[in-house]
Short mmCIF file of all heavy atoms in Angstrom, two decimals:
data_model
loop_
_atom_site.label_atom_id
_atom_site.label_comp_id
_atom_site.label_asym_id
_atom_site.label_seq_id
_atom_site.Cartn_x
_atom_site.Cartn_y
_atom_site.Cartn_z
N LEU A 854 -11.00 1.30 -9.41
CA LEU A 854 -11.57 1.08 -10.58
C LEU A 854 -13.00 1.48 -10.56
O LEU A 854 -13.83 1.03 -9.67
CB LEU A 854 -11.35 -0.36 -11.17
CG LEU A 854 -9.98 -0.94 -11.05
CD1 LEU A 854 -9.88 -2.34 -11.67
CD2 LEU A 854 -8.95 -0.07 -11.80
N ALA A 855 -13.52 2.34 -11.53
CA ALA A 855 -14.87 2.79 -11.59
C ALA A 855 -15.40 2.73 -12.85
O ALA A 855 -15.31 3.73 -13.68
CB ALA A 855 -14.94 4.15 -10.86
N GLY A 856 -15.99 1.58 -13.26
CA GLY A 856 -16.47 1.51 -14.64
C GLY A 856 -15.34 1.47 -15.59
O GLY A 856 -15.41 1.94 -16.68
N PHE A 857 -14.22 0.84 -15.20
CA PHE A 857 -13.04 0.67 -16.05
C PHE A 857 -13.15 -0.64 -16.85
O PHE A 857 -13.27 -1.71 -16.23
CB PHE A 857 -11.87 0.71 -15.21
CG PHE A 857 -10.51 0.62 -16.01
CD1 PHE A 857 -10.13 1.68 -16.80
CD2 PHE A 857 -9.66 -0.41 -15.90
CE1 PHE A 857 -8.99 1.67 -17.63
CE2 PHE A 857 -8.44 -0.52 -16.55
CZ PHE A 857 -8.17 0.54 -17.50
N MET A 858 -13.09 -0.51 -18.15
CA MET A 858 -13.60 -1.74 -18.97
C MET A 858 -12.40 -2.57 -19.54
O MET A 858 -12.53 -3.38 -20.43
CB MET A 858 -14.40 -1.27 -20.15
CG MET A 858 -15.66 -0.58 -19.73
SD MET A 858 -16.71 -1.52 -18.62
CE MET A 858 -17.32 -2.68 -19.82
N LYS A 859 -11.24 -2.27 -19.05
CA LYS A 859 -10.03 -3.10 -19.46
C LYS A 859 -9.71 -4.03 -18.40
O LYS A 859 -9.75 -3.67 -17.13
CB LYS A 859 -8.87 -2.10 -19.81
CG LYS A 859 -8.93 -1.36 -20.98
CD LYS A 859 -8.30 -2.17 -22.14
CE LYS A 859 -8.59 -1.50 -23.48
NZ LYS A 859 -7.92 -2.22 -24.60
N ILE A 860 -9.13 -5.10 -18.84
CA ILE A 860 -8.66 -6.08 -17.83
C ILE A 860 -7.24 -5.87 -17.61
O ILE A 860 -6.40 -5.81 -18.52
CB ILE A 860 -8.88 -7.60 -18.19
CG1 ILE A 860 -10.47 -7.77 -18.32
CG2 ILE A 860 -8.24 -8.59 -17.34
CD1 ILE A 860 -10.93 -9.11 -18.61
N LEU A 861 -6.71 -5.68 -16.39
CA LEU A 861 -5.34 -5.38 -16.00
C LEU A 861 -4.54 -6.65 -16.01
O LEU A 861 -5.06 -7.68 -15.51
CB LEU A 861 -5.21 -4.65 -14.63
CG LEU A 861 -5.99 -3.28 -14.51
CD1 LEU A 861 -6.09 -2.81 -13.08
CD2 LEU A 861 -5.22 -2.26 -15.35
N ILE A 866 -1.27 -5.96 -11.57
CA ILE A 866 -1.96 -6.22 -10.29
C ILE A 866 -0.89 -6.45 -9.28
O ILE A 866 -0.98 -5.93 -8.13
CB ILE A 866 -3.02 -7.25 -10.52
CG1 ILE A 866 -4.10 -6.86 -11.42
CG2 ILE A 866 -3.52 -7.68 -9.21
CD1 ILE A 866 -4.93 -7.88 -11.86
N ILE A 873 -5.59 -2.19 -5.20
CA ILE A 873 -6.53 -1.86 -6.26
C ILE A 873 -7.88 -2.47 -5.85
O ILE A 873 -7.97 -3.60 -5.53
CB ILE A 873 -6.12 -2.53 -7.65
CG1 ILE A 873 -4.64 -2.19 -8.04
CG2 ILE A 873 -6.96 -2.06 -8.75
CD1 ILE A 873 -4.28 -3.01 -9.21
N ILE A 874 -8.96 -1.59 -5.97
CA ILE A 874 -10.27 -2.07 -5.69
C ILE A 874 -11.22 -1.82 -6.85
O ILE A 874 -10.90 -0.91 -7.68
CB ILE A 874 -10.86 -1.53 -4.37
CG1 ILE A 874 -11.04 -0.13 -4.39
CG2 ILE A 874 -9.93 -2.01 -3.18
CD1 ILE A 874 -11.72 0.51 -3.21
N ASN A 875 -12.31 -2.51 -6.94
CA ASN A 875 -13.16 -2.31 -8.02
C ASN A 875 -14.67 -2.32 -7.55
O ASN A 875 -14.92 -2.88 -6.56
CB ASN A 875 -13.02 -3.51 -9.03
CG ASN A 875 -13.93 -3.31 -10.19
OD1 ASN A 875 -14.15 -2.26 -10.80
ND2 ASN A 875 -14.53 -4.52 -10.58
N ILE A 876 -15.56 -1.70 -8.36
CA ILE A 876 -16.91 -1.79 -8.00
C ILE A 876 -17.59 -2.51 -9.12
O ILE A 876 -17.39 -2.28 -10.34
CB ILE A 876 -17.67 -0.46 -7.80
CG1 ILE A 876 -19.01 -0.63 -7.29
CG2 ILE A 876 -17.54 0.48 -8.92
CD1 ILE A 876 -19.68 0.47 -6.47
N HIS A 877 -18.56 -3.53 -8.76
CA HIS A 877 -19.11 -4.35 -9.70
C HIS A 877 -20.74 -4.42 -9.39
O HIS A 877 -21.04 -4.54 -8.31
CB HIS A 877 -18.64 -5.79 -9.63
CG HIS A 877 -19.13 -6.72 -10.76
ND1 HIS A 877 -18.78 -6.58 -12.06
CD2 HIS A 877 -20.15 -7.64 -10.54
CE1 HIS A 877 -19.49 -7.59 -12.62
NE2 HIS A 877 -20.39 -8.15 -11.86
N PRO A 878 -21.51 -4.21 -10.52
CA PRO A 878 -22.90 -4.05 -10.23
C PRO A 878 -23.72 -5.39 -10.03
O PRO A 878 -24.68 -5.59 -10.80
CB PRO A 878 -23.40 -3.26 -11.50
CG PRO A 878 -22.54 -3.76 -12.60
CD PRO A 878 -21.07 -4.08 -11.93
N SER A 879 -23.24 -6.22 -9.19
CA SER A 879 -23.94 -7.46 -8.79
C SER A 879 -23.52 -7.93 -7.46
O SER A 879 -22.52 -7.35 -6.91
CB SER A 879 -23.72 -8.49 -9.86
OG SER A 879 -22.60 -9.25 -9.53
N LEU A 880 -24.26 -8.79 -6.81
CA LEU A 880 -23.82 -9.44 -5.62
C LEU A 880 -22.88 -10.52 -5.90
O LEU A 880 -23.16 -11.67 -6.07
CB LEU A 880 -25.07 -9.97 -4.77
CG LEU A 880 -26.01 -8.90 -4.31
CD1 LEU A 880 -27.25 -9.64 -3.56
CD2 LEU A 880 -25.25 -7.92 -3.27
N LEU A 881 -21.61 -10.23 -5.97
CA LEU A 881 -20.61 -11.23 -6.33
C LEU A 881 -20.67 -12.31 -5.17
O LEU A 881 -20.86 -11.85 -4.10
CB LEU A 881 -19.12 -10.55 -6.43
CG LEU A 881 -19.03 -9.69 -7.70
CD1 LEU A 881 -17.66 -9.02 -7.64
CD2 LEU A 881 -19.14 -10.55 -8.97
N PRO A 882 -20.37 -13.57 -5.52
CA PRO A 882 -19.81 -14.12 -6.73
C PRO A 882 -20.77 -14.32 -7.81
O PRO A 882 -20.49 -14.86 -8.86
CB PRO A 882 -19.23 -15.43 -6.23
CG PRO A 882 -20.10 -15.77 -5.09
CD PRO A 882 -20.58 -14.55 -4.44
N LYS A 883 -22.07 -13.83 -7.62
CA LYS A 883 -23.01 -14.03 -8.70
C LYS A 883 -22.78 -12.93 -9.84
O LYS A 883 -22.48 -11.83 -9.47
CB LYS A 883 -24.45 -13.84 -8.19
CG LYS A 883 -24.84 -15.11 -7.36
CD LYS A 883 -26.31 -14.90 -6.90
CE LYS A 883 -27.19 -15.80 -7.69
NZ LYS A 883 -28.52 -15.87 -7.21
N TYR A 884 -23.03 -13.38 -11.02
CA TYR A 884 -22.96 -12.45 -12.20
C TYR A 884 -21.67 -11.69 -12.40
O TYR A 884 -21.67 -10.45 -12.45
CB TYR A 884 -24.18 -11.44 -12.12
CG TYR A 884 -25.34 -12.12 -12.08
CD1 TYR A 884 -26.13 -12.39 -10.96
CD2 TYR A 884 -26.00 -12.79 -13.21
CE1 TYR A 884 -27.42 -13.00 -10.88
CE2 TYR A 884 -27.17 -13.59 -13.34
CZ TYR A 884 -27.83 -13.65 -12.17
OH TYR A 884 -29.08 -14.36 -12.19
N LYS A 885 -20.64 -12.51 -12.43
CA LYS A 885 -19.30 -11.84 -12.78
C LYS A 885 -19.25 -11.47 -14.20
O LYS A 885 -20.19 -11.95 -15.03
CB LYS A 885 -18.08 -12.81 -12.65
CG LYS A 885 -17.94 -13.28 -11.19
CD LYS A 885 -17.01 -14.37 -11.03
CE LYS A 885 -16.84 -14.89 -9.67
NZ LYS A 885 -15.95 -16.02 -9.54
N GLY A 886 -18.52 -10.37 -14.65
CA GLY A 886 -18.46 -10.09 -16.00
C GLY A 886 -19.37 -8.99 -16.50
O GLY A 886 -19.98 -8.31 -15.55
N LEU A 887 -19.66 -9.10 -17.76
CA LEU A 887 -20.56 -7.99 -18.39
C LEU A 887 -22.03 -8.29 -18.37
O LEU A 887 -22.47 -9.42 -18.01
CB LEU A 887 -20.16 -7.78 -19.79
CG LEU A 887 -18.81 -7.30 -19.95
CD1 LEU A 887 -18.35 -7.22 -21.44
CD2 LEU A 887 -18.46 -5.90 -19.41
N ASN A 888 -22.82 -7.31 -18.68
CA ASN A 888 -24.37 -7.43 -18.80
C ASN A 888 -24.97 -8.06 -17.55
O ASN A 888 -25.88 -8.78 -17.77
CB ASN A 888 -24.57 -8.27 -20.02
CG ASN A 888 -24.06 -7.83 -21.26
OD1 ASN A 888 -23.87 -6.51 -21.52
ND2 ASN A 888 -23.46 -8.64 -22.09
N THR A 889 -24.68 -7.54 -16.44
CA THR A 889 -25.03 -8.18 -15.25
C THR A 889 -26.56 -7.93 -14.96
O THR A 889 -27.40 -8.88 -14.82
CB THR A 889 -24.41 -7.62 -13.94
OG1 THR A 889 -24.54 -6.18 -14.10
CG2 THR A 889 -23.00 -8.01 -13.87
N HIS A 890 -27.03 -6.72 -15.29
CA HIS A 890 -28.54 -6.39 -15.07
C HIS A 890 -29.36 -7.13 -16.06
O HIS A 890 -30.40 -7.62 -15.63
CB HIS A 890 -28.71 -4.82 -15.17
CG HIS A 890 -27.88 -4.01 -14.28
ND1 HIS A 890 -27.76 -4.28 -12.98
CD2 HIS A 890 -27.17 -2.92 -14.55
CE1 HIS A 890 -27.05 -3.40 -12.36
NE2 HIS A 890 -26.57 -2.51 -13.29
N ARG A 892 -28.75 -10.06 -17.22
CA ARG A 892 -28.79 -11.56 -16.85
C ARG A 892 -29.70 -11.67 -15.56
O ARG A 892 -30.41 -12.58 -15.37
CB ARG A 892 -27.52 -12.09 -16.58
CG ARG A 892 -26.67 -12.25 -17.88
CD ARG A 892 -25.34 -12.76 -17.72
NE ARG A 892 -24.40 -11.85 -17.26
CZ ARG A 892 -23.34 -12.13 -16.37
NH1 ARG A 892 -23.25 -13.36 -15.87
NH2 ARG A 892 -22.53 -11.23 -16.03
N GLY A 902 -27.51 -6.31 -6.51
CA GLY A 902 -26.99 -5.32 -5.65
C GLY A 902 -25.53 -4.89 -6.36
O GLY A 902 -25.46 -4.94 -7.42
N CYS A 903 -24.69 -4.54 -5.40
CA CYS A 903 -23.47 -4.16 -5.91
C CYS A 903 -22.24 -4.65 -4.80
O CYS A 903 -22.57 -4.83 -3.72
CB CYS A 903 -23.29 -2.65 -6.24
SG CYS A 903 -23.44 -1.71 -4.67
N THR A 904 -21.04 -4.75 -5.42
CA THR A 904 -19.94 -5.22 -4.53
C THR A 904 -18.76 -4.43 -4.78
O THR A 904 -18.32 -4.08 -6.01
CB THR A 904 -19.62 -6.77 -5.04
OG1 THR A 904 -20.82 -7.51 -4.97
CG2 THR A 904 -18.58 -7.27 -4.24
N ILE A 905 -18.02 -4.02 -3.68
CA ILE A 905 -16.71 -3.51 -3.86
C ILE A 905 -15.77 -4.56 -3.39
O ILE A 905 -15.90 -5.14 -2.33
CB ILE A 905 -16.54 -2.21 -2.97
CG1 ILE A 905 -17.46 -1.07 -3.61
CG2 ILE A 905 -15.05 -1.58 -3.08
CD1 ILE A 905 -18.75 -0.98 -2.94
N HIS A 906 -14.78 -4.76 -4.17
CA HIS A 906 -13.84 -5.96 -3.87
C HIS A 906 -12.41 -5.67 -4.32
O HIS A 906 -12.09 -4.76 -5.17
CB HIS A 906 -14.43 -7.18 -4.68
CG HIS A 906 -14.26 -7.06 -6.18
ND1 HIS A 906 -13.07 -7.42 -6.95
CD2 HIS A 906 -15.07 -6.58 -7.02
CE1 HIS A 906 -13.37 -7.20 -8.15
NE2 HIS A 906 -14.53 -6.70 -8.31
N TYR A 907 -11.40 -6.26 -3.76
CA TYR A 907 -10.05 -6.11 -4.10
C TYR A 907 -9.88 -6.73 -5.59
O TYR A 907 -10.58 -7.74 -5.88
CB TYR A 907 -9.10 -6.83 -3.14
CG TYR A 907 -8.90 -5.98 -1.85
CD1 TYR A 907 -9.51 -6.42 -0.68
CD2 TYR A 907 -8.18 -4.97 -1.78
CE1 TYR A 907 -9.44 -5.74 0.44
CE2 TYR A 907 -7.98 -4.15 -0.61
CZ TYR A 907 -8.75 -4.51 0.48
OH TYR A 907 -8.56 -3.83 1.61
N VAL A 908 -8.95 -6.30 -6.26
CA VAL A 908 -8.73 -6.84 -7.61
C VAL A 908 -7.61 -7.84 -7.50
O VAL A 908 -6.46 -7.48 -7.10
CB VAL A 908 -8.42 -5.78 -8.62
CG1 VAL A 908 -8.05 -6.25 -9.95
CG2 VAL A 908 -9.64 -4.76 -8.82
N ASN A 909 -7.96 -9.08 -8.01
CA ASN A 909 -6.82 -10.01 -8.24
C ASN A 909 -6.80 -10.44 -9.59
O ASN A 909 -7.47 -9.88 -10.38
CB ASN A 909 -6.95 -11.20 -7.15
CG ASN A 909 -8.21 -11.99 -7.42
OD1 ASN A 909 -8.83 -11.92 -8.46
ND2 ASN A 909 -8.58 -12.87 -6.54
N SER A 910 -6.03 -11.49 -9.87
CA SER A 910 -5.89 -11.77 -11.35
C SER A 910 -6.96 -12.47 -11.98
O SER A 910 -7.03 -12.69 -13.13
CB SER A 910 -4.51 -12.48 -11.55
OG SER A 910 -4.65 -13.76 -10.69
N ARG A 911 -7.98 -12.86 -11.16
CA ARG A 911 -9.18 -13.50 -11.71
C ARG A 911 -10.33 -12.49 -11.82
O ARG A 911 -10.56 -11.84 -10.79
CB ARG A 911 -9.61 -14.79 -10.99
CG ARG A 911 -8.65 -15.97 -11.37
CD ARG A 911 -8.87 -17.12 -10.36
NE ARG A 911 -8.55 -16.73 -8.96
CZ ARG A 911 -9.35 -16.72 -7.93
NH1 ARG A 911 -10.59 -17.12 -8.16
NH2 ARG A 911 -8.86 -16.26 -6.72
N LEU A 912 -11.08 -12.45 -12.84
CA LEU A 912 -12.11 -11.51 -13.03
C LEU A 912 -13.18 -11.42 -11.94
O LEU A 912 -13.78 -12.42 -11.66
CB LEU A 912 -12.79 -11.73 -14.39
CG LEU A 912 -13.87 -10.66 -14.77
CD1 LEU A 912 -13.20 -9.33 -15.23
CD2 LEU A 912 -14.67 -11.17 -16.01
N ASP A 913 -13.34 -10.32 -11.41
CA ASP A 913 -14.40 -10.03 -10.35
C ASP A 913 -14.36 -11.12 -9.22
O ASP A 913 -15.39 -11.60 -8.79
CB ASP A 913 -15.76 -10.01 -10.94
CG ASP A 913 -15.90 -8.89 -12.13
OD1 ASP A 913 -15.22 -7.88 -11.89
OD2 ASP A 913 -16.68 -9.17 -12.98
N SER A 914 -13.19 -11.52 -8.85
CA SER A 914 -13.07 -12.53 -7.88
C SER A 914 -12.29 -12.26 -6.54
O SER A 914 -12.07 -13.17 -5.76
CB SER A 914 -12.44 -13.82 -8.62
OG SER A 914 -13.22 -14.26 -9.61
N GLY A 915 -11.78 -11.00 -6.47
CA GLY A 915 -10.95 -10.72 -5.28
C GLY A 915 -11.75 -10.60 -4.09
O GLY A 915 -13.00 -10.54 -4.07
N LYS A 916 -11.14 -10.57 -2.98
CA LYS A 916 -11.75 -10.43 -1.58
C LYS A 916 -12.87 -9.37 -1.52
O LYS A 916 -12.60 -8.18 -1.95
CB LYS A 916 -10.74 -10.25 -0.58
CG LYS A 916 -11.22 -10.46 0.88
CD LYS A 916 -10.09 -10.33 1.91
CE LYS A 916 -10.69 -10.37 3.24
NZ LYS A 916 -10.28 -9.26 3.99
N ILE A 917 -14.03 -9.77 -0.98
CA ILE A 917 -15.12 -8.78 -0.99
C ILE A 917 -14.90 -7.78 0.20
O ILE A 917 -14.64 -8.26 1.32
CB ILE A 917 -16.45 -9.48 -0.94
CG1 ILE A 917 -16.69 -10.14 -2.30
CG2 ILE A 917 -17.59 -8.46 -0.62
CD1 ILE A 917 -17.92 -11.07 -2.28
N ILE A 918 -15.07 -6.49 0.04
CA ILE A 918 -14.85 -5.43 1.03
C ILE A 918 -16.24 -5.08 1.52
O ILE A 918 -16.57 -5.08 2.77
CB ILE A 918 -14.19 -4.23 0.48
CG1 ILE A 918 -12.77 -4.65 -0.10
CG2 ILE A 918 -14.05 -3.07 1.52
CD1 ILE A 918 -12.31 -3.60 -1.10
N LEU A 919 -17.23 -4.87 0.66
CA LEU A 919 -18.61 -4.46 1.11
C LEU A 919 -19.67 -4.76 0.05
O LEU A 919 -19.26 -4.60 -1.26
CB LEU A 919 -18.56 -2.95 1.32
CG LEU A 919 -19.67 -2.40 2.16
CD1 LEU A 919 -19.08 -1.46 3.35
CD2 LEU A 919 -20.50 -1.48 1.23
N GLN A 920 -20.80 -5.04 0.34
CA GLN A 920 -21.86 -5.27 -0.69
C GLN A 920 -23.18 -4.50 -0.14
O GLN A 920 -23.33 -4.39 1.03
CB GLN A 920 -22.31 -6.75 -0.74
CG GLN A 920 -21.14 -7.43 -1.31
CD GLN A 920 -21.48 -9.05 -1.54
OE1 GLN A 920 -21.97 -9.69 -0.67
NE2 GLN A 920 -21.34 -9.54 -2.87
N GLU A 942 -24.56 1.98 -5.32
CA GLU A 942 -23.07 2.09 -5.60
C GLU A 942 -22.40 3.32 -5.04
O GLU A 942 -21.49 3.26 -4.40
CB GLU A 942 -22.81 2.00 -7.16
CG GLU A 942 -23.13 0.62 -7.76
CD GLU A 942 -22.68 0.61 -9.18
OE1 GLU A 942 -21.74 1.28 -9.60
OE2 GLU A 942 -23.39 -0.07 -10.03
N TYR A 946 -19.47 2.68 -2.34
CA TYR A 946 -18.02 2.86 -2.66
C TYR A 946 -17.33 3.67 -1.57
O TYR A 946 -16.34 3.16 -1.00
CB TYR A 946 -17.86 3.50 -4.04
CG TYR A 946 -16.67 2.87 -4.80
CD1 TYR A 946 -16.56 3.01 -6.29
CD2 TYR A 946 -15.57 2.22 -4.08
CE1 TYR A 946 -15.45 2.50 -6.90
CE2 TYR A 946 -14.55 1.71 -4.80
CZ TYR A 946 -14.48 1.79 -6.23
OH TYR A 946 -13.37 1.42 -6.88
#
Side-chain angles (χ1 to χ4, degrees):
L854 308 184
F857 182 64
M858 301 305 284
K859 284 271 176 178
I860 292 180
L861 297 167
I866 292 164
I873 313 175
I874 64 172
N875 179 42
I876 186 157
H877 184 78
S879 80
L880 288 178
L881 291 173
K883 291 183 104 176
Y884 300 103
K885 295 174 183 176
L887 296 174
N888 304 320
T889 53
H890 302 315
R892 289 183 284 146
C903 61
T904 304
I905 295 93
H906 64 92
Y907 286 102
V908 172
N909 66 13
S910 54
R911 282 168 300 119
L912 183 70
D913 300 328
S914 296
K916 189 172 171 236
I917 291 171
I918 302 156
L919 196 133
Q920 293 186 305
E942 290 185 30
Y946 216 161

